[in-house]
Amino acid sequence: MTHRFTTARSAIVILAAVVVALTAAPPADATAKQASPAHPVQATASREAGAPIMAIVSIKSQQVTIYDADGWILRAPVSTGIKGRETPAGVFSVVEKDKDHHSNLYDDAWMPNMERITWSGIALHGGPLPGYAASHGCIRMPYDFAENLFGKTQVGMRVIIAPNDAEPVEFSDPKLFVPNADALAAAPARADKLALEAADAAKAADDAKATAAAAAREAAAAPAAVRKLEYLKTRADAELAFAERMLAAAKTDQNKARAQDLRDKAAANAADLGTQLDAAKADAKAKLDAAAAAKDALKAAEAKRTDTTAAARDAKLALEPVSVFISRATKKLYVRRGFASTIEIPIAIRDPDKPIGTHIFTAMARTDSGLRWTAVTIDDGDDAKDALDRISIPQDVLDRIAPTAVPRSSIIISDEPANREQNYRTEFVVVLNNQPQGGLAIRKPASDMIARDGYGYYGNGYARQYGGPYGVTSYYYPRW
């Protein structure tokens, strides 16, 4: 019954959307677009398709094209953001997928087969297509197309939104990453080895922490034992002194014998307590020394845990495609792998005051000599080759990332800085600031999101868990 209800509701929603799209008068600025004779059509390549590597959305043509390693595989018309809520042009990636998403912001609007590209709410999803830009910033696709695409894509797929028509073109240049076959072959075993070392170091650090805690407790208790014996020794010394005075004052042999016996017992007790006190002091010093040594050992173990964890993380990330972003605005080079930031350094750009454009170079597939690359340009400036020629990636950076570069690796060169939507749960987010961004501007930036433990509603948003490559984390973000 649940399936029938969902199917019925879906059919009603689709039918209602179609009726609205066919009967509603288009906005004034859409009339010219409707009059255009060249409307995008839905199409599928005749060849067998591989896994999608990138999606390119043309705002001008209202079309999305999906590419695998060998070219386009799927095409469909889309509906992007209306005036004032324009879909931002730039470079994004899929950060989350939700099969049956509903918007809390827009009257529970159904957004089936949603593929989020910003955490503040820009996404590709199924929706009505009136033939012109009509969304609040998202990219609506035909319902069946969105469903088909949803089953093929994966989190991390590149999404390029171009103001005009753009497509990947074959590109080769000696500056592009050339992987090392031996490094690639050794990478999985190295990652496993370092993961084991990190696990061993973590256990050793936990053991060292327990040892240090126990040693600290014993060291803390030792002074109390010393103080107690010092008190008893002081009292014993006083009793001995009193017995000696009694002995000196005794007049009769009987009193002298009794006083001597008391004096001998007091002296023995004082001597015994003196021995105990000396031993307690030595024990306390040993415990304090042991606590200090355990503390030092804990520091060393924690340092080793940190180092081995970082090494294991880097080794695991080396199995992922590498993404490099070079910004003329900040004059820096950034490296990410698996959404994780690994390198950020200043970089020299020739003619730094001259526009360079925005270019995306993508490794599409392996070749006998390394990788086959394409280039996509979406903003005015240099052409792709000239843009790459103005960049000099430091050799030590190349040595760290090029040997294990794999298909889907990329280099983004842009005049723009990283957008505020970029955070530790995204790939690079680069938005063209010379294009309208209304659909992005109306949303709260991703930096406003609050990490939170567990599931649960909170304010106008919700907390939700995501299973990433490094475990499960909970996040809070506004509903949309």
Side-chain angles (χ1 to χ4, degrees), residues 80-154:
T80 59
I82 60 175
K83 186 174 182 180
R85 297 192 175 191
E86 297 89 352
T87 302
V91 185
F92 306 86
S93 63
V94 175
V95 296
E96 184 202 24
K97 298 174 64 174
D98 189 349
K99 184 71 176 173
D100 189 27
H101 186 75
H102 291 261
S103 171
N104 187 52
L105 183 60
Y106 298 119
D107 301 321
D108 200 39
W110 188 38
M111 298 177 175
N113 298 294
M114 184 274 289
E115 303 195 41
R116 187 191 298 274
I117 62 173
T118 75
W119 286 109
S120 66
I122 305 294
L124 297 90
H125 62 80
L129 303 181
Y132 48 85
S135 80
H136 286 165
C138 286
I139 300 140
R140 297 181 193 166
M141 303 177 292
Y143 287 102
D144 59 338
F145 181 89
E147 182 175 14
N148 181 30
L149 181 64
F150 189 90
K152 300 179 183 301
T153 60
Q154 59 182 336

Side-chain angles (χ1 to χ4, degrees), residues 72-355:
W72 77 272
I73 53 175
L74 297 168
R75 282 199 177 106
V78 298
S79 184
T80 59
I82 60 175
K83 186 174 182 180
R85 297 192 175 191
E86 297 89 352
T87 302
V91 185
F92 306 86
S93 63
V94 175
V95 296
E96 184 202 24
K97 298 174 64 174
D98 189 349
K99 184 71 176 173
D100 189 27
H101 186 75
H102 291 261
S103 171
N104 187 52
L105 183 60
Y106 298 119
D107 301 321
D108 200 39
W110 188 38
M111 298 177 175
N113 298 294
M114 184 274 289
E115 303 195 41
R116 187 191 298 274
I117 62 173
T118 75
W119 286 109
S120 66
I122 305 294
L124 297 90
H125 62 80
L129 303 181
Y132 48 85
S135 80
H136 286 165
C138 286
I139 300 140
R140 297 181 193 166
M141 303 177 292
Y143 287 102
D144 59 338
F145 181 89
E147 182 175 14
N148 181 30
L149 181 64
F150 189 90
K152 300 179 183 301
T153 60
Q154 59 182 336
V155 170
M157 183 188 75
R158 175 77 70 212
V159 178
I160 300 170
I161 304 177
N164 299 303
D165 295 337
E167 62 180 1
V169 296
E170 292 291 327
F171 189 89
S172 62
D173 191 282
K175 287 191 173 183
L176 297 174
F177 307 144
V178 178
N180 180 284
D182 293 337
L184 284 173
R190 181 172 182 272
D192 291 341
K193 176 177 177 291
L194 291 177
L196 289 174
E197 290 180 4
D200 290 342
K203 184 180 183 304
D206 289 341
D207 292 344
K209 185 176 181 180
T211 300
R217 286 194 298 270
E218 291 186 2
V226 171
R227 287 193 298 270
K228 181 179 179 180
L229 286 168
E230 285 176 337
Y231 167 74
L232 294 175
K233 178 68 167 59
T234 299
R235 192 171 71 173
D237 288 344
E239 290 175 351
L240 175 60
F242 176 77
E244 287 176 342
R245 288 196 300 272
M246 290 292 292
L247 178 61
K251 300 299 183 181
T252 66
D253 291 342
Q254 184 179 6
N255 288 341
K256 287 181 179 180
R258 185 181 299 116
Q260 184 65 48
D261 183 57
L262 290 174
R263 189 265 174 201
D264 291 345
K265 289 180 179 179
N269 185 46
D272 181 55
L273 287 171
T275 301
Q276 291 184 47
L277 179 59
D278 290 341
K281 286 181 177 179
D283 181 63
K285 184 178 184 305
K287 287 179 177 177
L288 289 171
D289 291 343
K295 187 176 180 180
D296 290 341
L298 175 58
K299 286 182 179 179
E302 289 289 2
K304 186 173 182 180
R305 188 215 302 256
T306 299
D307 292 344
T308 55
T309 298
R313 169 182 174 270
D314 289 345
K316 184 175 181 179
L317 289 175
L319 306 177
E320 301 285 338
V322 58
S323 294
V324 175
F325 171 43
I326 298 166
S327 168
R328 187 176 70 87
T330 63
K331 297 178 178 60
K332 284 188 175 182
L333 176 147
Y334 310 84
V335 178
R336 289 196 169 203
R337 264 182 147 144
F339 288 4
S341 177
T342 59
I343 300 174
E344 177 179 332
I345 61 168
I347 190 170
I349 300 176
R350 193 176 72 247
D351 300 327
D353 297 326
K354 175 186 172 185

Side-chain angles (χ1 to χ4, degrees), residues 418-436:
N419 187 261
R420 64 179 187 173
E421 290 288 338
Q422 181 176 302
N423 60 39
Y424 62 98
R425 293 181 294 136
T426 71
E427 235 259 29
F428 293 117
V429 179
V430 182
V431 175
L432 303 188
N433 286 306
N434 59 3
Q435 297 296 320

